[in-house]
Amino acid sequence: MAITTGRVLLEARGVTKYYERAKHPILVLDHIDLAVEEGTFVALLGPSGSGKSTLLRILSGLSAPTEGQVRLGDQPLEGVNPQVAMVFQTFALFPWLTVLQNVELGLEAAGLPSKVRRDRSIAAIDLIGLDGFENAYPKELSGGMRQRVGIARALVVEPQILMMDEPFSALDVLTAANLRDELLDLWLGKKVPMKAIVLVTHNIDEAVSMADRIVVLGRDPGRVHSDVRVTLPHPRDLKSEAAQQLVDDIYRVLTQPQAPAIQVPPVERYQSLPHVRIDSLNGLVELVQDRGGREDIFEIGRELQMEIDDLLPLVEAAQMLELARVEEGDIELTPVGERLAEGDIQQDKELFREQLTQHIQLIQDIMRRLEQKPEDRLDWEDLHDELQQHFSADEAADQLETAIDWGRYAELFAYDEDSRAFYLEPEPTD
């Protein structure tokens, strides 16, 4: 069974493919299960003969499986996949057409009006860095620029899934590295409309540097050997110990087909902040202190007429900040919580400052980056993009809102709503 974590856009179920020959059919793919999820960059990695390009063509609807089924959403795929655009290794440009005309082809086939085709094509050409070459012919372009045209032609139709069949293998090393970086920038920066990317490659470093999921195929016939989630943050350092270990594991699987599948250590979840205000949390702590430092949570909820969904986040925040502990349905203040209940506002702020910097991961991350470059500001958008590796876009925004509220109260940092930036307040001078 293929691993899944998000909404499945495209799925192969038991896909098997034979190539017919005069005497005996050749088994190319053997019962492939693969789910492509929203928000994922999937690399299909394997040696020659593993059927990775064949699998890509089946997923795109350019080839039919002998057995099994491809599903688009909750429906079986029939014919060419309308949600997919393909980038090929060999550029596949028409030499008698200009860059603009090559990019417009897919939109022309869709019957869009001339002005719409032109505007969207020029926008795609600008996005991929070919502004100024709209009227050039393929023969006037370098290999890297021709591949950019192929990528622009795929992006302009706004596919849900971008499929790429060894798109960098025909390029020199420096050009390939540059184009990989630029494609990742578009994808990670959400500057492109697609919801997933599927890349066929035989280059292990390429897969490890780009993908957040690597599906390793064995050969003769092609079978899924390992399905690996890559959680290394971008930009990825291929010389890091974690990256090197993953590269070594993949080499082992490819060179020793009988070796065990790659075992990936469990991913440590990013700490999720309960969305509560500091004044409400202070109120809970003071209420428990007034009851002798311990009280039944149910009784608190009933007395305050608070729904459980409103009360539990407060209890969770108190535990997270080590202001209280929960035992047998009771909330009991810790010595730190007792100090908070008895202190004045400045003492409370100092205590919160200590607890936030010791126990709250997002606050720690913000402070570390601000302290590394105290003269700089930290953009909300940058943090939001990074948090989306762990949360949905809306939840990432809510996490930042809570961190801003807590950090401001503790006077750890300032936040400017107009510029959407975090910064350190200058130290007061005498």
Side-chain angles (χ1 to χ4, degrees), residues 3 214 226-231 246 249 261-267:
I3 26 180
I214 301 175
S226 294
D227 195 339
V228 184
R229 300 281 174 178
V230 184
T231 58
L246 180 54
D249 287 343
I262 298 170
Q263 300 297 316
V264 181
V267 179

Side-chain angles (χ1 to χ4, degrees), residues 245-292:
Q245 183 61 58
L246 180 54
V247 169
D248 289 345
D249 287 343
I250 294 173
Y251 267 117
R252 172 179 55 80
V253 166
L254 291 175
T255 56
Q256 303 173 42
Q258 303 307 316
I262 298 170
Q263 300 297 316
V264 181
V267 179
E268 183 177 346
R269 291 176 59 86
Y270 198 92
Q271 185 185 51
S272 179
L273 302 183
H275 304 307
V276 300
R277 296 290 183 180
I278 292 293
D279 52 358
S280 298
L281 183 56
N282 274 329
L284 174 66
V285 170
E286 290 174 3
L287 174 63
V288 176
Q289 178 74 347
D290 290 342
R291 304 297 171 82

Side-chain angles (χ1 to χ4, degrees), residues 76-269:
L77 177 63
E78 298 180 359
V80 176
N81 192 332
Q83 303 297 341
V84 161
M86 185 81 78
V87 178
F88 299 95
Q89 175 183 347
T90 55
F91 315 138
L93 304 181
F94 292 101
W96 58 88
L97 299 180
T98 65
V99 167
L100 179 59
Q101 290 168 336
N102 268 287
V103 174
E104 283 187 358
L105 278 177
L107 300 179
E108 186 175 354
L112 294 181
S114 175
K115 185 178 187 309
V116 174
R117 295 200 309 264
R118 180 179 178 82
D119 289 348
R120 281 177 55 176
S121 297
I122 288 177
I125 288 169
D126 290 350
L127 184 68
I128 207 66
L130 283 174
D131 189 20
F133 290 87
E134 293 88 347
N135 296 317
Y137 289 92
K139 67 180 181 181
E140 303 175 67
L141 306 177
S142 67
M145 294 173 73
R146 275 179 277 174
Q147 192 58 291
R148 289 174 191 270
V149 179
I151 295 172
R153 185 173 59 190
L155 296 180
V156 77
V157 299
E158 299 181 352
Q160 277 201 354
I161 305 172
L162 178 66
M163 293 191 172
M164 312 181 79
D165 192 358
E166 301 197 29
F168 312 112
S169 61
L171 307 176
D172 65 82
V173 174
L174 294 178
T175 301
N178 182 54
L179 197 49
R180 278 194 291 265
D181 289 344
E182 292 187 6
L183 179 64
L184 266 181
D185 178 64
L186 294 176
W187 167 250
L188 296 173
K190 302 188 186 306
K191 302 172 186 177
V192 284
M194 64 265 190
K195 298 177 180 178
I197 297 178
V198 181
L199 168 73
V200 162
T201 181
H202 62 269
N203 186 319
I204 298 176
D205 284 351
E206 183 172 280
V208 171
S209 67
M210 300 187 76
D212 46 41
R213 182 179 169 200
I214 301 175
V215 179
V216 183
L217 298 178
R219 57 176 295 176
D220 298 327
R223 295 190 179 100
V224 174
H225 188 286
S226 294
D227 195 339
V228 184
R229 300 281 174 178
V230 184
T231 58
L232 304 176
H234 289 282
R236 292 178 180 163
D237 179 7
L238 290 179
K239 295 181 180 179
S240 70
E241 182 178 349
Q244 283 295 305
Q245 183 61 58
L246 180 54
V247 169
D248 289 345
D249 287 343
I250 294 173
Y251 267 117
R252 172 179 55 80
V253 166
L254 291 175
T255 56
Q256 303 173 42
Q258 303 307 316
I262 298 170
Q263 300 297 316
V264 181
V267 179
E268 183 177 346
R269 291 176 59 86

